[in-house]
Amino acid sequence: MEKTVSEAIAYRRSCRVYKDEPIDTNKVKQCIENAVLAPTSSNLQLWEFYHVTNKDKINKLATACFNQNAAKTAQQLVVVVARKDLWRKRCKANIDFLNKSFDKPNLDKRLQNRKKMALNYYQKIMPITYFDFLGIFGLLKYLVFQVIGLFRPIYRQARLSDMRIVAHKSAGLAAQNFMISMAAIGYDTCPMEGSDTLRVKRILGIPWSAEINMIIGCGKRDDKGIYGPRFRVPFNNVYHQI
């Protein structure tokens, strides 16, 4: 029986060693389908997921992950990729969706205003936010926004590095959706940041403009797979009710 959300969260641990036992590729794919339902900044969905089931590719990726047990013993791997470079294409996809959604006869004024605001967001605000050239335009935007911020609230994270962070945050949210979904069906995962990302891109044919967010080992936990009891700092140290 599939676990509840709370049960899946409690069950999920970073599993370092997996059983030599295959897992269902279609079930893993369904969990990736859950991943793409995660919240994402401006609905741009600047992510891709490489579901690796080929054993030769897994072995090569394990080497690129410094032969970590979580990669070496994984039955499958999921590589989460941040694609900030696709912002124009994703903006266009949103614009096409909006035009199709609002393509109705006798659209009332409220919906006309909503369409206009949404299109303005993707046609004007997003290009200003995401466009950059060697970080120069981003720095100029950042300085201008800081001055404006002296007089009113303003979005300040406008540099190239800031937009990279935004893309990686969205990819991380999707990765968590995936791992909780895997836990719900009794499969285990381990998110890995330690890898030679250039080699990973070469192995999978990922464009150089893309960025590796994390590589997730997948399988069924071995008895030795969880290295120790769960440790978390006391909840009161991180919880602040205002």
Side-chain angles (χ1 to χ4, degrees), residues 112-221:
Q112 287 178 13
N113 289 336
R114 183 180 296 177
K115 177 183 178 182
K116 183 178 179 181
M117 288 177 60
L119 289 176
N120 182 67
Y121 185 78
Y122 289 107
Q123 291 172 337
K124 296 180 181 179
I125 296 176
M126 284 298 94
I128 290 173
T129 303
Y130 275 89
F131 176 76
D132 207 340
F133 179 73
L134 300 176
I136 298 170
F137 188 58
L139 181 59
L140 290 175
K141 285 187 294 182
Y142 175 79
L143 295 173
V144 170
F145 291 170
Q146 298 310 306
V147 174
I148 296 173
L150 296 173
F151 306 98
R152 64 180 177 85
I154 186 74
Y155 185 74
R156 299 170 186 268
Q157 285 69 44
R159 292 168 296 185
L160 179 64
S161 58
D162 295 322
M163 304 322 298
R164 289 181 60 240
I165 290 169
V166 168
H168 279 280
K169 283 194 292 186
S170 289
L173 289 170
Q176 182 70 349
N177 257 28
F178 169 72
M179 290 186 284
I180 296 303
S181 297
M182 290 282 280
I185 60 174
Y187 284 173
D188 292 282
T189 55
C190 182
M192 294 173 281
E193 290 185 294
S195 67
D196 184 328
T197 55
L198 293 181
R199 280 184 166 81
V200 171
K201 289 180 185 180
R202 194 176 298 130
I203 292 165
L204 299 179
I206 296 173
W208 296 114
S209 55
E211 296 186 6
I212 305 302
N213 178 262
M214 67 179 77
I215 300 174
I216 304 175
C218 306
K220 296 180 180 178
R221 68 179 65 173

Side-chain angles (χ1 to χ4, degrees), residues 56-103:
D56 181 57
K57 295 288 187 184
I58 290 173
N59 290 336
K60 289 179 179 177
L61 287 171
T63 300
C65 291
F66 316 125
N67 284 316
Q68 295 180 61
N69 284 331
K72 222 170 26 172
T73 65
Q75 292 297 307
Q76 298 179 26
L77 293 170
V78 172
V79 182
V80 183
V81 180
R83 293 302 307 267
K84 187 185 76 68
D85 58 314
L86 296 181
W87 68 267
R88 289 183 180 86
K89 184 181 290 188
R90 298 293 195 258
C91 277
K92 184 180 184 305
N94 274 280
I95 290 167
D96 292 343
F97 175 79
L98 288 166
N99 283 325
K100 185 177 179 180
S101 298
F102 287 102
D103 184 18

